[in-house]
Amino acid sequence: MAELNLEIVTPSKSAFKGIIKSITVPGTTGRFQVLVNHAPIISTFDIGVIKVDLPDGKSVHYATAGGTIEVLDNKVLVLADSIEQISEIDEERALKAKQRAEERLAAKNSDINLTRAQAALERANNRISLKEKYSH
């Protein structure tokens, strides 16, 4: 039986490498799942949650800030801008990042890059909501 191999990397670390049952990513045009023998694809994904289903029936969830996924011959390569296993999210740090982003947006200072501040707010909100949703 064919196996699905996954590697998740960021510019600063390798986050996962191993055999999986499936992966679900927040595609830019909607969530999609990759299973064994998936057709070749290269796609981008957005801020959201990546769900990795392991062969033992457990699932691992990651907060991501977007990136690219490539699927070819039962090999999945995820190149993420950033990724963090939800169990490792520092909620206090995420709340402080949210506050900083909100302050930048409220200041309406011409020196502030509004696009970057809005993206920072979206990333912080994603981390906070996922921590709340998946913490037991």
mmCIF file of all heavy atoms in Angstrom, residues 19 24 124 129:
data_model
loop_
_atom_site.group_PDB
_atom_site.id
_atom_site.type_symbol
_atom_site.label_atom_id
_atom_site.label_comp_id
_atom_site.label_asym_id
_atom_site.label_seq_id
_atom_site.Cartn_x
_atom_site.Cartn_y
_atom_site.Cartn_z
ATOM 1 N N ILE A 19 5.434 9.991 7.878
ATOM 2 C CA ILE A 19 4.318 9.386 7.149
ATOM 3 C C ILE A 19 3.012 9.840 7.793
ATOM 4 O O ILE A 19 2.890 9.868 9.019
ATOM 5 C CB ILE A 19 4.431 7.851 7.154
ATOM 6 C CG1 ILE A 19 5.706 7.444 6.417
ATOM 7 C CG2 ILE A 19 3.211 7.199 6.529
ATOM 8 C CD1 ILE A 19 6.059 5.975 6.551
ATOM 9 N N THR A 24 -4.859 18.578 5.724
ATOM 10 C CA THR A 24 -5.858 19.547 5.290
ATOM 11 C C THR A 24 -5.258 20.932 5.482
ATOM 12 O O THR A 24 -4.749 21.244 6.560
ATOM 13 C CB THR A 24 -7.154 19.402 6.113
ATOM 14 O OG1 THR A 24 -7.611 18.052 6.014
ATOM 15 C CG2 THR A 24 -8.237 20.337 5.603
ATOM 16 N N ALA A 124 -2.226 37.097 14.684
ATOM 17 C CA ALA A 124 -2.449 37.021 16.134
ATOM 18 C C ALA A 124 -3.840 36.469 16.439
ATOM 19 O O ALA A 124 -3.991 35.585 17.296
ATOM 20 C CB ALA A 124 -2.269 38.398 16.761
ATOM 21 N N SER A 129 -7.464 32.260 18.430
ATOM 22 C CA SER A 129 -8.689 31.468 18.247
ATOM 23 C C SER A 129 -8.384 29.972 18.160
ATOM 24 O O SER A 129 -9.132 29.155 18.691
ATOM 25 C CB SER A 129 -9.476 31.940 17.029
ATOM 26 O OG SER A 129 -8.789 31.653 15.834
#
